[in-house]
Amino acid sequence: MTIKVTLIPGDGIGPEVSTAAQNVITASGAPIEWEVVQAGEATIAQYGNPLPDHVIETVRRNKVALKGPITTPVGKGFRSVNVSLRKQLQLYANVRHLRNLPNVDSRYQGVDIVVVRENTEDLYAGIEHMVGQNAAESIKIITREASERIGRYAFELARREGRKKVTIGHKANILKLSDGLFLESIRSVARDYPEIECEDRIVDALCMNLVQIPEQFDILVLPNLYGDIISDLVAGLVGGLGVAPGANIGESGAVFEAAHGSAPQIAGKNLANPLAMILSGVEMLKYLGYDKEAERVEKGVERVLGQRDYITPDLGGSAGTQEMAAAIIDAMA
Ligand code: NAD
């Protein structure tokens, strides 16, 4: 039986890294049929909208999508496609598996952290207004329901992956009501998982601890804004955005995407590192239950990184995007 997956190539380097990921995932043997739809700059030109309804509809229908980065036009009144997709499909968990890879430069070794970020509320609920001419107010929304839901996601992930500890990041010492509710809600969920250690850190101290001894952390669970910042910080601990995969998971669907943006400066030059997109595809394979195929891709990636013959310039090599993908396919056998 084939599984239909929506592929959104995206803008800038998106089409290059999407093609690379599509080829690698197909070569893994997973029976995936791709439904390719455009969003972003291409559809602004055609439909006047970066996220036309038919794109949302295909993701709703197929329930799983692999998405390239999309440029957010500055000051043109379009809402970020990424934020709209997350909202419309209720993709409440943003999840990044971040670990050191062979020969990927980093100041640290032994990092293997999953950042679980609440994706629907907090200051990103987008409720803000001017108060007169010279003041602005943005409202931070935290609910028990969304906090428990993300907490449960983090603990279920820990159980599924055999991970040992969940650390809750917050600022409940100052934001006693909102972050206090986030902390209390997740602590109450933790009682259902006695085999998994639950601890919490104030988010500023968490930043310091992460750059001092990152190996002490396993799963981090955070509200939206801190999660946004910390997930890039942890990507930096393992070699940067070029190697950071991501996933947005909801109750009835999931969109997998690299953490990086559309990198317009290098678009069309065959310079983009396809790894983050390929590793997002690996997360997708695991989500779909294709664990053997996911492992095959991971092995191919590790071999290519280990040999260093076919790696992109950002990793210190001179291979092009598609050349690196082809080498991963060869190494998967
Ligand atoms: P960016 O991630 O596109 O680029 C940051 C730096 O990293 C640049 O130097 C770029 O060349 C480099 N880089 C990024 N990905 C790379 C890759 N795969 N291989 C090699 N080098 C890579 O971030 P930005 O410049 O802040 O954003 C550019 C555009 O992307 C903006 O319009 C932004 O809104 C959008 N964006 C989209 C997403 C998304 O769709 N998920 C995420 C972030 C940014």
Side-chain angles (χ1 to χ4, degrees):
M1 199 186 77
T2 59
I3 302 249
K4 235 183 182 182
V5 166
T6 302
L7 178 73
I8 304 173
D11 297 322
I13 59 170
E16 296 163 74
V17 294
S18 297
T19 301
Q22 187 183 7
N23 291 342
V24 171
I25 302 301
T26 300
S28 77
I32 286 174
E33 185 188 332
W34 302 93
E35 181 175 358
V36 182
V37 286
Q38 303 297 331
E41 286 169 334
T43 60
I44 294 178
Q46 199 177 348
Y47 302 99
N49 180 352
L51 187 64
D53 289 346
H54 70 266
V55 176
I56 301 264
E57 273 322 300
T58 95
V59 185
R60 261 195 232 286
R61 194 172 353 99
N62 296 330
K63 297 193 167 44
V64 179
L66 183 63
K67 174 187 155 299
I70 289 184
T71 300
T72 304
V74 178
K76 290 199 191 147
F78 292 115
R79 219 170 153 197
S80 153
V81 167
N82 306 308
V83 175
S84 299
L85 259 180
R86 284 170 203 168
K87 267 228 140 112
Q88 298 208 40
L89 299 169
Q90 272 294 304
L91 304 171
Y92 69 88
N94 182 284
V95 185
R96 286 199 199 161
H97 281 76
L98 299 161
R99 64 184 173 95
N100 287 114
L101 291 165
N103 288 326
V104 173
D105 262 358
S106 155
R107 288 172 182 271
Y108 304 90
Q109 285 307 315
V111 179
D112 181 0
I113 296 176
V114 189
V115 184
V116 176
R117 160 186 167 198
E118 203 292 322
N119 226 1
T120 63
E121 49 183 35
D122 194 356
L123 279 163
Y124 290 16
I127 305 170
E128 52 176 11
H129 51 253
M130 294 301 293
V131 182
Q133 297 279 312
N134 300 313
E137 259 179 20
S138 302
I139 296 177
K140 176 174 165 109
I141 309 278
I142 298 284
T143 64
R144 188 182 302 280
E145 188 189 4
S147 304
E148 286 182 357
R149 182 171 64 173
I150 199 68
R152 197 158 295 283
Y153 184 89
F155 280 95
E156 283 294 320
L157 177 83
R159 199 170 258 178
R160 204 166 54 242
E161 296 192 359
R163 289 178 178 266
K164 303 274 179 291
K165 183 166 78 172
V166 172
T167 304
I168 311 165
H170 63 87
K171 194 76 192 171
N173 53 331
I174 305 293
L175 298 165
K176 293 183 195 299
L177 297 183
S178 54
D179 281 14
L181 180 60
F182 184 82
L183 177 60
E184 177 206 317
S185 304
I186 299 186
R187 276 186 180 153
S188 76
V189 167
R191 290 188 204 110
D192 293 339
Y193 302 83
E195 77 281 18
I196 298 158
E197 185 185 344
C198 177
E199 61 163 26
D200 69 274
R201 305 266 169 123
I202 292 174
V203 71
D204 39 353
L206 175 62
C207 289
M208 185 185 69
N209 299 153
L210 276 166
V211 298
Q212 281 180 323
I213 316 177
E215 314 88 87
Q216 67 184 297
F217 295 104
D218 194 345
I219 292 182
L220 306 178
V221 60
L222 300 131
N224 209 340
L225 175 62
Y226 313 143
D228 191 4
I229 298 165
I230 296 273
S231 52
D232 273 19
L233 185 156
V234 179
L237 300 179
V238 299
L241 293 179
V243 296
N248 294 290
I249 313 266
E251 255 135 37
S252 53
V255 175
F256 296 83
E257 62 178 339
H260 61 71
S262 54
Q265 322 83 324
I266 57 167
K269 297 184 178 158
N270 201 24
L271 292 172
N273 179 351
L275 265 192
M277 193 70 177
I278 291 171
L279 294 173
S280 303
V282 167
E283 300 295 327
M284 184 184 84
L285 289 175
K286 289 181 183 166
Y287 175 86
L288 290 169
Y290 295 124
D291 292 348
K292 267 199 317 237
E293 290 79 359
E295 203 180 310
R296 203 171 290 150
V297 177
E298 280 179 321
K299 287 253 158 68
V301 166
E302 282 178 15
R303 283 189 195 123
V304 167
L305 289 173
Q307 289 159 358
R308 293 188 61 83
D309 292 333
Y310 294 99
I311 52 175
T312 45
D314 60 305
L315 297 176
S318 58
T321 310
Q322 307 312 332
E323 240 182 313
M324 183 165 175
I328 292 170
I329 292 172
D330 284 346
M332 270 160 45

